[in-house]
Amino acid sequence: MEGFTDDMFDVFTSLPQKRPQHFSDEVPAKKQQTDSIDIQSLELSDDSDVEIVQDYYVTQEDLQGCIHEAVYPNNYVHKPLPNTPPAKSYPFNLDPFQQCAIRCLDAKQSVLVAAHTSAGKTAVAEYAIASALRDKQKVIYTSPIKALSNQKYRELSDEFKDVGLMTGDVTINEEASCLVMTTEILRSMLYRGSEVVREMAWVIFDEIHYMRDKERGVVWEETIIMLPEPVKLVFLSATIPNAREFAEWICKIKTQPCHVVYTEMRPVPLQHYVFPAGGDGIYLVVDETGTFKEQNFQKAISCLIDSGNEIRPKKKIAHGANSEVVKVIHLIMERNFSPAIVFSFSKKDCEAHAISLNKCDFTTDDEKGNIEEIFSNAISTLSEEDRALPMFENMLPMLKRGIGIHHGGLLPIIKEVTEILFQEGFIKVLFSTETFSMGLNMPARTVVFTNVRKFDGSNFRWLGGGEYIQMSGRAGRRGIDDRGICILMVDQKMEPEVAKSMLKGNMDPLNSTFHLNYNMLLNLMRMEEARPEDMIKKSFHQFQNDRAAPEIYRRKKELKNSLREMVIEKEAELEELKQIEMSKNAYKQTMQGFIQKNENILRFMTPGRLVRVLDNGTDWGWGIVVNFIKKRIDKKSLKDLSEKTPDKFVIDVVLYVKLQEKPYPLSNLMSEEGEMTVIPMYTECIETISSIQTYLPADIKSREALRNLKSTLREIMNRVNFKPPLLDPIKHMGINDPEFLKAQERYTQLEAREQSLTVTHRPDFSQLKDRYEEKKKILSGITLLNNQLKASKTMVLSDDWKAMRRVLRRLGFCSEQLVELKGRVAC
């Protein structure tokens, strides 16, 4: 490795640590010599390995408490480490991962530091800043949100003095050597060709895993791609499974080494509790060692009862969800678990929960005075008219009681004051949306989740493991708390597997969300020597797409080898049989359509009639018709339909089912575990009609009647050997439509042809059919892989780019070569 000598790694003297689960356990064998790499020049330790991959090679080694991997371009020339004193000293002992990352910075090489929240990644960023300032170079610190930029500006100003801030709201000292800004601001500077860009030597990307965000993630990719190649990069991230893949992308597009320093170390262990709605306390479900306590979890969930599709607490909640939050906050204060951050997934809920604590006061008189002084000083620069706004007048009394609110709907100055007060320890309970967990160095002792489900823009879903890790990481203050407390408020039934996935899951992989937009295209067309095609080719999206090709080739080769070994007797007949089955299904659907017409089926849906129910391919088995009613349809809902739309009828059928699960197959009718249940359905669900009718009691919904029906149905099925006689569609139901008769005739002919095939009479027919189906799956898999290979060899989004360029040209934003005035205004 460049600049790394044996004595530099004396600190890492312990045995190699176990590789985390998401890193491959199959470490490549050491290579003694290759054409393109002089292994001796790498000066690797005995625990290191080298893996050669196309345009780059990777060195790997396990260090004390962390894993260090380095990705180098092929034919990279290693240089000795500059003999310079450390750029910064620390008043505390650095953790191994911090020391390893700092050595990468001393070697003037890019590094990705992946560690849990509050592990100490900021120390690495501070060293990069100190190193740049020592060498009289400019450094830029970017963050995903303005709140984090504001906080980093305050922290770095105390440390380095020559610091500026640039966000959409505020610009301070833009000529400073160290500039803190949001990533969008840096992207705009790159598009404009700002002078600052030409002078910078380092760029620090905080919370780089935010690149997976569907809407804004593309901004990070644009920025990284457009940065000049000589600029060195520092990436700070939460733990991500594919950290090395990201480093390989950086190495490829920037033609420079990129290191990965990965650690699973958590400075303050966490305890995870569940607070069930209507319960009296909290239940420890995951202890500080990471052990899931299933018995405690079941006790917590047992406080909730199942009522249909809704889960309600056993105890009546007097004032809704807010009363539950008040109960949790009182519990936190009684046990001295403050300060606490309470996460909600809507701004409205944050404010509602805070208002519900209007009778609570958590601060002393001295603290109230300090809060009022800080608040007054902060808003003193505003005009009297602005200071009289309701938001300012309502916020101060709440802050003085030690309660704060933080979300994107507040004025920036109020959010900043709230952050300062929380850091100073004056706010005991902070209600916030999840953006507060994005990198802000504001740990608390306790984190509370008011809900386990969130709306992601399309539907409600369980909180993901990565999201939970990010927010729960705010719990536990290093050097203050011996453990952090996480409390999950649950008001819905949750399976243990869901809870384990959430509480003990891993962060989601860092997958590209790169997409084209018109603003990006116009800006790129304005830049000299910049082409949208190059942006696409260098994107992480394209890299991941290309990187998948070798794996696709490997899987395709495996499938082809399996295909060669599959020799099936009577394969031609099996192929014909497959075609016959497909044709039979088509004719059967045609016949079913006639049978299920209202004029044909309804007169046979008399109480006591046996019918077989099939819905979306699921066989619900045999049941007994209770009655049918005409479905009432709102006329407004039929405005887009034909006036000849047939009436809908709902048929009540008694079926043998197991509660909360799919119905039992017919063979399980002998079981005592299920019970008879009346289920409403449309006529389309009636697959077969029997000629058998049985007695139906008057009070069909009583338990006694349903038990008797179960015995009756079981007795009937035993007598007919589970093959009840059926109504003949022509003879009994009187269906004589020519189309129906033709379909039935063809169905009968196909059945005869099916029986004439010799393969159907072989004793091993079932095994032959299974092997044939397996071969068909292999062939389908090869076809799918061929399509994937074709896609991997082409430029992603190329069709989108061409179409969007045509739109811009036709609307007059640009010509073939130039961006017009209209396009420049749009930029």
Side-chain angles (χ1 to χ4, degrees):
M1 295 176 218
E2 176 188 4
F4 288 80
T5 57
D6 293 338
D7 58 336
M8 291 179 187
F9 286 101
D10 287 344
V11 66
F12 310 117
T13 54
S14 67
L15 292 173
Q17 300 298 306
K18 184 179 178 182
R19 186 176 297 272
Q21 185 177 356
H22 45 261
F23 279 86
S24 172
D25 290 327
E26 298 178 7
V27 180
K30 297 181 182 180
K31 299 174 176 60
Q32 298 303 317
Q33 197 76 20
T34 68
D35 294 336
S36 57
I37 304 173
D38 180 3
I39 298 299
Q40 300 302 320
S41 70
L42 296 179
E43 300 182 10
L44 298 171
S45 67
D46 291 338
D47 297 325
S48 299
D49 293 286
V50 177
E51 180 182 352
I52 303 173
V53 187
Q54 297 177 348
D55 303 327
Y56 47 84
Y57 60 93
V58 184
T59 65
Q60 304 169 328
E61 57 187 346
D62 292 343
L63 305 173
Q64 182 182 4
C66 72
I67 290 175
H68 175 215
E69 300 187 306
V71 187
Y72 292 94
N74 276 343
N75 302 318
Y76 178 75
V77 179
H78 296 268
K79 303 173 185 177
L81 185 70
N83 187 19
T84 54
K88 178 178 170 57
S89 59
Y90 296 87
F92 53 85
N93 293 327
L94 293 172
D95 292 327
F97 85 91
Q98 294 169 325
Q99 296 183 45
C100 183
I102 285 173
R103 282 165 173 75
C104 299
L105 299 179
D106 281 336
K108 305 297 182 187
Q109 295 179 359
S110 299
V111 63
L112 164 64
V113 182
H116 282 297
T117 303
S118 302
K121 299 187 290 290
T122 303
V124 179
E126 289 176 351
Y127 192 90
I129 295 170
S131 177
L133 296 180
R134 178 196 63 191
D135 299 336
K136 309 298 181 186
Q137 297 171 323
K138 282 213 169 191
V139 59
I140 290 179
Y141 190 112
T142 76
S143 72
I145 57 175
K146 295 172 185 175
L148 179 55
S149 295
N150 294 334
Q151 188 206 19
K152 291 302 178 186
Y153 169 70
R154 291 194 299 269
E155 291 181 356
L156 296 176
S157 295
D158 293 339
E159 179 75 21
F160 299 108
K161 308 304 179 188
D162 187 17
V163 180
L165 175 67
M166 297 179 70
T167 66
D169 300 323
V170 180
T171 298
I172 302 172
N173 192 16
E174 58 184 320
E175 301 298 325
S177 299
C178 174
L179 284 173
V180 181
M181 61 184 69
T182 54
T183 314
E184 279 83 357
I185 297 293
L186 177 56
R187 180 186 62 168
S188 298
M189 293 169 66
L190 290 166
Y191 277 135
R192 293 199 314 268
S194 171
E195 195 68 31
V196 175
V197 175
R198 300 189 184 95
E199 299 173 1
M200 63 184 174
W202 290 88
V203 175
I204 301 164
F205 290 92
D206 202 355
E207 305 293 326
I208 189 63
H209 55 272
Y210 205 84
M211 199 171 86
R212 69 165 72 95
D213 183 78
K214 290 181 180 179
E215 299 297 326
R216 296 176 57 211
V218 64
V219 175
W220 275 259
E221 288 194 50
E222 287 180 77
T223 306
I224 293 169
I225 292 167
M226 288 192 293
L227 283 170
E229 281 193 12
V231 175
K232 299 300 183 286
L233 309 169
V234 178
F235 304 101
L236 308 180
S237 171
T239 53
I240 49 176
N242 59 334
R244 197 184 85 179
E245 181 184 39
F246 179 83
E248 290 170 357
W249 172 59
I250 296 297
C251 176
K252 182 173 182 179
I253 66 170
K254 295 300 179 185
T255 323
Q256 60 170 273
C258 185
H259 298 257
V260 175
V261 180
Y262 190 101
T263 179
E264 290 280 5
M265 180 197 76
R266 187 181 288 280
V268 181
L270 301 181
Q271 291 181 334
H272 304 268
Y273 294 83
V274 165
F275 178 90
D280 293 323
I282 57 177
Y283 297 79
L284 178 65
V285 292
V286 178
D287 61 21
E288 57 270 27
T289 64
T291 304
F292 185 81
K293 298 181 176 295
E294 188 152 351
Q295 188 174 0
N296 285 359
F297 178 79
Q298 295 294 355
K299 285 180 182 178
I301 297 302
S302 67
C303 294
L304 305 170
I305 58 172
D306 197 343
S307 176
N309 291 326
E310 296 181 358
I311 306 298
R312 303 184 184 277
K314 288 181 178 178
K315 297 186 178 180
K316 186 177 179 181
I317 299 176
H319 303 290
N322 285 342
S323 66
E324 297 294 287
V325 173
V326 173
K327 192 185 294 185
V328 171
I329 298 303
H330 282 310
L331 184 148
I332 289 170
M333 293 303 170
E334 288 170 5
R335 301 194 181 188
N336 195 28
F337 284 170
S338 65
I341 300 173
V342 183
F343 284 113
S344 294
F345 299 118
S346 82
K347 301 169 187 175
K348 183 179 178 182
D349 287 349
C350 286
E351 296 181 4
H353 292 323
I355 292 171
S356 68
L357 295 176
N358 55 358
K359 296 181 181 179
C360 300
D361 192 340
F362 306 128
T363 57
T364 64
D365 291 340
D366 289 341
E367 288 176 327
K368 284 181 172 62
N370 291 330
I371 291 169
E372 185 166 8
E373 183 180 355
I374 293 172
F375 188 85
S376 300
N377 290 339
I379 67 172
S380 60
T381 56
L382 302 176
S383 65
E384 289 187 19
E385 211 174 293
D386 289 340
R387 290 200 295 269
L389 288 172
M391 187 177 288
F392 291 109
E393 293 182 347
N394 296 336
M395 192 62 68
L396 180 57
M398 189 181 293
L399 292 171
K400 289 173 69 174
R401 291 186 284 110
I403 301 166
I405 301 173
H406 192 287
H407 60 67
L410 298 175
L411 291 172
I413 192 168
I414 288 183
K415 289 192 289 185
E416 192 169 351
V417 171
T418 303
E419 293 161 16
I420 292 170
L421 292 174
F422 188 82
Q423 282 182 305
E424 296 297 325
F426 294 129
I427 291 181
K428 313 301 179 184
V429 180
L430 179 66
F431 293 92
S432 173
T433 52
E434 59 185 309
T435 53
F436 191 80
S437 69
M438 191 56 65
L440 289 173
N441 186 23
M442 296 185 187
R445 184 169 187 187
T446 303
V447 163
V448 180
F449 295 82
T450 59
N451 209 332
V452 290
R453 295 174 71 85
K454 65 175 287 190
F455 185 71
D456 61 4
S458 56
N459 50 36
F460 283 92
R461 59 169 175 79
W462 296 109
L463 198 61
E467 295 166 320
Y468 182 82
I469 290 171
Q470 182 73 32
M471 287 183 271
S472 64
R474 298 291 120 201
R477 297 163 296 178
R478 189 169 188 176
I480 301 175
D481 303 322
D482 57 347
R483 67 188 190 280
I485 308 295
C486 299
I487 301 176
L488 194 64
M489 297 179 65
V490 178
D491 61 356
Q492 301 183 52
K493 187 175 180 181
M494 181 191 296
E495 296 299 328
E497 291 73 22
V498 174
K500 288 177 185 177
S501 175
M502 184 187 302
L503 301 175
K504 299 183 63 179
N506 292 320
M507 288 291 284
D508 302 321
L510 182 58
N511 291 323
S512 173
T513 57
F514 183 85
H515 59 272
L516 298 175
N517 58 63
Y518 291 107
N519 184 267
M520 178 202 298
L521 297 180
L522 286 171
N523 274 302
L524 286 171
M525 291 170 70
R526 284 183 69 189
M527 295 175 64
E528 294 182 11
E529 301 179 359
R531 297 190 311 153
E533 298 96 320
D534 294 336
M535 175 73 76
I536 296 171
K537 289 176 181 177
K538 289 184 177 181
S539 69
F540 192 37
H541 185 21
Q542 182 72 50
F543 178 80
Q544 289 185 310
N545 194 66
D546 296 341
R547 199 171 186 266
E551 175 63 17
I552 296 173
Y553 273 117
R554 186 191 64 78
R555 286 162 53 198
K556 180 181 173 182
K557 186 177 179 181
E558 287 179 357
L559 289 179
K560 281 193 169 183
N561 290 337
S562 300
L563 194 63
R564 291 192 194 98
E565 297 171 2
M566 294 195 75
V567 179
I568 304 173
E569 294 182 64
K570 301 288 184 179
E571 186 172 350
E573 287 193 14
L574 289 168
E575 175 64 31
E576 184 181 355
L577 183 63
K578 181 74 173 178
Q579 298 300 322
I580 289 173
E581 289 177 350
M582 291 171 62
S583 300
K584 281 175 61 180
N585 287 335
Y587 287 121
K588 187 175 181 180
Q589 286 181 6
T590 301
M591 292 188 290
Q592 282 293 113
F594 283 96
I595 293 172
Q596 291 168 348
K597 284 185 176 181
N598 291 340
E599 60 267 26
N600 294 329
I601 194 174
L602 291 178
R603 56 199 178 97
F604 295 98
M605 294 297 100
T606 50
R609 174 78 64 184
L610 264 64
V611 293
R612 188 167 193 140
V613 178
L614 189 72
D615 181 33
N616 291 327
T618 301
D619 187 358
W620 288 63
W622 286 92
I624 304 172
V625 174
V626 178
N627 57 22
F628 68 87
I629 58 170
K630 186 174 180 180
K631 185 180 185 299
R632 294 180 180 178
I633 302 177
D634 186 1
K635 295 294 182 184
K636 293 180 181 177
S637 65
L638 297 176
K639 61 183 179 181
D640 296 327
L641 301 177
S642 167
E643 293 181 359
K644 296 182 180 180
T645 302
D647 292 328
K648 282 278 190 179
F649 285 85
V650 174
I651 302 173
D652 287 335
V653 179
V654 183
L655 286 169
Y656 184 75
V657 301
K658 185 176 180 181
L659 291 180
Q660 304 172 14
E661 293 186 13
K662 289 183 179 179
Y664 272 64
L666 186 62
S667 59
N668 281 338
L669 188 61
M670 310 306 293
S671 167
E672 297 293 337
E673 296 179 13
E675 59 183 65
M676 303 298 283
T677 307
V678 178
I679 299 177
M681 62 192 66
Y682 289 132
T683 53
E684 291 89 338
C685 299
I686 304 299
E687 195 262 346
T688 309
I689 307 171
S690 172
S691 59
I692 297 176
Q693 276 187 273
T694 186
Y695 168 75
L696 208 62
D699 186 13
I700 188 64
K701 293 189 178 180
S702 70
R703 295 195 172 205
E704 178 86 22
L706 291 172
R707 275 196 297 268
N708 290 337
L709 275 178
K710 178 181 176 181
S711 300
T712 300
L713 187 59
R714 183 190 298 165
E715 185 179 347
I716 292 171
M717 289 300 166
N718 280 330
R719 286 184 180 182
V720 298
N721 195 25
F722 286 87
K723 294 181 180 178
L726 307 179
L727 288 178
D728 186 276
I730 300 174
K731 182 179 178 182
H732 298 128
M733 300 183 71
I735 301 175
N736 55 11
D737 187 283
E739 188 178 348
F740 174 86
L741 296 175
K742 181 180 178 181
Q744 189 183 56
E745 182 183 2
R746 288 293 298 132
Y747 188 87
T748 305
Q749 292 172 353
L750 289 170
E751 279 192 321
R753 176 57 185 162
E754 186 178 30
Q755 289 301 313
S756 69
L757 295 174
T758 57
V759 70
T760 59
H761 303 291
R762 288 176 58 118
D764 61 346
F765 169 64
S766 179
Q767 291 85 345
L768 285 174
K769 190 175 180 181
D770 289 343
R771 282 181 59 78
Y772 174 77
E773 291 296 336
E774 186 180 350
K775 184 173 182 178
K776 293 289 286 186
K777 287 181 181 178
I778 292 174
L779 287 169
S780 299
I782 291 173
T783 302
L784 179 63
L785 291 174
N786 282 332
N787 293 334
Q788 291 177 355
L789 276 173
K790 185 179 179 181
S792 70
K793 292 177 182 177
T794 59
M795 186 175 73
V796 296
L797 305 174
S798 57
D799 292 338
D800 291 355
W801 150 234
K802 293 173 184 176
M804 293 171 79
R805 184 170 56 181
R806 283 197 300 271
V807 170
L808 290 171
R809 191 169 60 248
R810 291 176 183 177
L811 292 177
F813 286 88
C814 66
S815 63
E816 284 290 345
Q817 302 295 333
L818 300 173
V819 178
E820 304 293 346
L821 176 62
K822 189 176 179 181
R824 292 198 297 272
V825 172
C827 286

